[in-house]
Amino acid sequence: QKTRIQLMAESNCTQVTEFSLTGFTEDPVTQVTLFLIFLLTYFVTILGNLVMIVLTRASPQLQSPMYYFLGNLAFVDLCSSTVITPKMLVDLTSEKKGIAYAGCVAQVFLFDLFAMTECFLLAMMAYDRYVAICRPLVYPLVMSPKCCFQLVTGSYLIGLTNGIGQTIGMFNLSFCGSSIIDLFFCDISPLISLSTSDPTLSYVILTTSASLLGVSSNLVVLVSYMAIISAILSIRSAKGKRKAFSTCASHLTTVSIFYGTALFMYLKPSSDSSRGGDKWAVVLYTVVTPMLNPLIYSLKNKDVKEALRTLAKTKYLECCK
């Protein structure tokens, strides 16, 4: 229970209405350089993911469960990048790097929604590869259009639950002291550190979300790939092994980048001397990874490359008429 002193302090609290983001640097030349780099990254992210969405919708050879998941992954990457990058670009050109309380709440909600949705979409894609390689005879039945729709819808609902939970945790916090967030966007972890009220509920929600949702999606990926590797190793011919591995190589690369940067971001011990390095790890997780996903699939997947060539040829012929 709260003491009388704590209750009096909270009743006299002047709630922060705006937060200040530290960003990356105060050096003007470095800010311009970073602005150009991140602007190019965002442009490639938007273009790459939009092309992937169009391809998975319009191309006849990409009408399969794997590409249905891939199209939704591209949509989530497009949204998650848009939640973070435009505000970051504005701050790199402004002296005042501030964000209103309502804007901070919106960033926390949307970032946690799309981040958790992506976790489960990647897990569903791993399950799809498991069924395709380990149980090919029942693949059309197990991964039916109805089942795929339910898996994708479930991923979005889990992401929505996570976003609502973290937002409730933020509403439970009071900010009467420092309003400086040592990052380039609003994340729940630094906000808990800034809070002048009891953060127990926020910690419980954050820990529960990471334990139940994050760990469960990781387990689906891990168990699926353990079964996939075991199945591939049991194939006698080298050609058969290469063919089986090629069907999940792009997804495995995407999973490695996403979970690798996420684990580094959230599990690496933080210290004053490592905050700069932590920011660049967060950049890799929030800004670079959404750009890499469509590039990985377009460069490593023959079907996607063929669909892209067909689409480009069709558009070229239409323009020449």
Side-chain angles (χ1 to χ4, degrees):
Q1 293 182 348
K2 295 182 179 180
T3 64
R4 181 177 296 179
I5 296 177
Q6 287 176 313
L7 291 171
M8 290 177 63
E10 289 187 15
S11 64
N12 295 327
C13 168
T14 302
Q15 185 78 2
V16 169
T17 58
E18 186 178 50
F19 294 98
S20 298
L21 304 170
T22 59
F24 298 95
T25 178
E26 296 297 328
D27 180 57
V29 176
T30 306
Q31 285 186 339
V32 171
T33 304
L34 290 176
F35 174 83
L36 294 175
I37 292 173
F38 290 141
L39 180 62
L40 178 61
T41 301
Y42 185 56
F43 175 77
V44 175
T45 300
I46 296 297
L47 181 62
N49 284 293
L50 281 177
V51 168
M52 193 62 66
I53 292 170
V54 171
L55 284 177
T56 55
R57 292 287 189 273
S59 179
Q61 61 262 47
L62 300 185
Q63 302 305 309
S64 67
M66 181 175 70
Y67 299 112
Y68 176 67
F69 291 123
L70 180 57
N72 282 277
L73 180 67
F75 173 75
V76 169
D77 281 334
L78 187 66
C79 294
S80 62
S81 180
T82 302
V83 170
I84 304 296
T85 310
K87 172 60 179 171
M88 182 175 64
L89 291 173
V90 171
D91 287 343
L92 284 170
T93 60
S94 307
E95 290 186 9
K96 184 181 179 182
K97 301 175 177 62
I99 182 170
Y101 180 83
C104 195
V105 171
Q107 269 201 336
V108 169
F109 170 72
L110 292 172
F111 175 72
D112 287 296
L113 186 162
F114 290 120
M116 189 58 70
T117 300
E118 182 153 356
C119 282
F120 274 86
L121 281 176
L122 290 172
M124 296 306 100
M125 293 173 75
Y127 176 71
D128 171 73
R129 292 299 83 203
Y130 158 74
V131 179
I133 293 174
C134 301
R135 298 178 177 274
L137 296 179
V138 297
Y139 182 79
L141 179 64
V142 175
M143 302 305 296
S144 64
K146 180 180 179 181
C147 178
C148 291
F149 175 78
Q150 291 173 340
L151 292 174
V152 168
T153 302
S155 298
Y156 283 109
L157 289 176
I158 291 172
L160 180 63
T161 301
N162 183 58
I164 292 173
Q166 303 304 338
T167 306
I168 292 173
M170 182 176 174
F171 281 140
N172 187 61
L173 301 174
S174 297
F175 303 96
C176 305
S178 174
S179 62
I180 300 175
I181 302 175
D182 190 17
L183 204 58
F184 53 90
F185 74 102
C186 286
D187 190 22
I188 190 63
S189 297
L191 286 169
I192 290 175
S193 302
L194 286 179
S195 173
T196 53
S197 60
D198 184 7
T200 301
L201 177 61
S202 298
Y203 273 125
V204 169
I205 294 174
L206 185 62
T207 304
T208 303
S209 173
S211 302
L212 293 182
L213 304 180
V215 173
S216 62
S217 63
N218 289 344
L219 282 176
V220 172
V221 174
L222 183 61
V223 172
S224 295
Y225 272 102
M226 286 176 62
I228 289 170
I229 292 171
S230 176
I232 291 176
L233 292 176
S234 65
I235 299 174
R236 293 184 179 182
S237 67
K239 183 179 179 180
K241 289 181 180 179
R242 284 195 300 269
K243 184 178 179 180
F245 182 74
S246 66
T247 63
C248 56
S250 298
H251 178 257
L252 185 59
T253 304
T254 300
V255 165
S256 300
I257 294 173
F258 180 82
Y259 284 112
T261 53
L263 291 174
F264 181 86
M265 174 181 170
Y266 289 108
L267 297 184
K268 181 179 180 293
S270 60
S271 63
D272 292 337
S273 61
S274 66
R275 282 177 183 170
D278 289 343
K279 285 183 182 179
W280 291 110
V282 177
V283 167
L284 185 62
Y285 176 69
T286 58
V287 179
V288 179
T289 299
M291 177 192 68
L292 291 178
N293 288 343
L295 295 178
I296 290 170
Y297 274 94
S298 61
L299 292 174
K300 284 183 169 289
N301 192 290
K302 292 181 180 179
D303 291 336
V304 173
K305 287 191 286 187
E306 181 61 32
L308 186 58
R309 280 194 294 266
T310 302
L311 179 65
K313 184 178 179 180
T314 302
K315 294 299 180 184
Y316 174 76
L317 293 174
E318 289 178 356
C319 293
C320 292
K321 288 182 179 180

